[in-house]
């Protein structure tokens, strides 16, 4: 019985700590969170980009590992752009439009996630050419959102 209670408690804790329930005590906490997620995502996406550009020797397994991390991270930043993330005082480039044009911002966020999945699918073939073909769309989706919604 004790064990069952402990398991139930652990499951509840996991359910309520899910990303979709994320709330932040202060806008600055939300800004730090989204910046961290985007930084990790960009780091791993950038390693794939290094292979695409020929700066890093192509290794299919390493490309796969990096894009897998980028895809996993791409699901996270958005919680930090929710209502509890508006008005951060730490240095951040989030334009107020993010909270005024939520549908448009969501469209950009979903486009980026879909484009990263395309790179991930390409990486599964093990072909650098396939990755190259998918990479531009993903980079373009980063830029499109930055052009519309980022100050710095
Ligand atoms: C990256 C990165 C971005 C985008 C952007 C694409 O690797 O960190 O912000 O790609 O530069 O235009």
């Amino acid at each position: 019985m004790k064990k069952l209670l402990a398991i139930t408690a652990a499951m509840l804790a996991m359910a309520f700590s899910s990303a979709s329930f994320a709330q932040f005590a202060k806008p600055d906490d939300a800004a730090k969170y989204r910046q961290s997620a985007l930084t990790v995502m960009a780091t791993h996406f950038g390693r794939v980009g290094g292979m695409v550009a020929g700066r890093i020797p192509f290794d299919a397994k390493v490309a796969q590992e990096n894009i897998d991390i980028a895809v996993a991270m791409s699901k996270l930043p958005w919680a930090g752009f929710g209502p509890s993330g508006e008005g951060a005082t730490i240095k951040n480039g989030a334009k107020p439009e993010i909270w005024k044009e939520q549908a448009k911002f969501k469209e950009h966020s979903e486009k980026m996630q879909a484009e990263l999945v395309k790179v991930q699918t390409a990486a599964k073939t093990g072909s650098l050419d396939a990755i190259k073909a998918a990479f531009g769309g993903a980079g373009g989706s980063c830029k499109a959102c930055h052009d519309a919604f980022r100050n710095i």
Side-chain angles (χ1 to χ4, degrees):
M1 188 61 193
K2 245 186 177 171
K3 197 174 172 195
L4 186 64
L5 271 177
I7 292 169
T8 309
M11 280 168 63
L12 277 173
M14 276 192 314
F16 287 99
S17 67
S18 135
S20 57
F21 283 91
Q23 286 291 328
F24 298 92
K26 306 190 292 289
D28 281 358
D29 293 345
K32 277 183 221 161
Y33 176 86
R34 68 193 185 226
Q35 288 176 348
S36 304
L38 288 164
T39 298
V40 175
M41 183 184 81
T43 300
H44 292 278
F45 181 64
R47 290 188 184 144
V48 181
M51 293 186 205
V52 165
R55 284 192 308 273
I56 304 175
F58 178 60
D59 179 319
K61 186 168 177 282
V62 175
Q64 184 75 65
E65 286 167 356
N66 278 290
I67 195 64
D68 287 350
I69 295 168
V71 167
M73 296 309 295
S74 73
K75 300 175 191 353
L76 302 183
W78 320 113
F81 290 106
S84 62
E86 191 171 9
T89 60
I90 61 165
K91 187 177 173 219
N92 76 102
K95 284 189 181 169
E97 281 75 8
I98 290 170
W99 290 271
K100 290 187 196 124
E101 299 167 24
Q102 288 183 11
K104 190 178 157 200
F105 183 69
K106 188 163 189 281
E107 220 172 273
H108 276 279
S109 79
E110 286 171 356
K111 170 88 173 149
M112 182 275 274
Q113 292 174 76
E115 292 294 332
L116 282 187
V117 170
K118 288 185 197 170
V119 179
Q120 185 181 41
T121 303
K124 284 183 183 143
T125 69
S127 149
L128 178 58
D129 283 343
I131 296 172
K132 280 184 181 168
F135 193 84
S141 72
C142 302
K143 185 175 184 317
C145 192
H146 290 168
D147 288 350
F149 291 109
R150 188 169 84 159
N151 276 323
I152 49 176

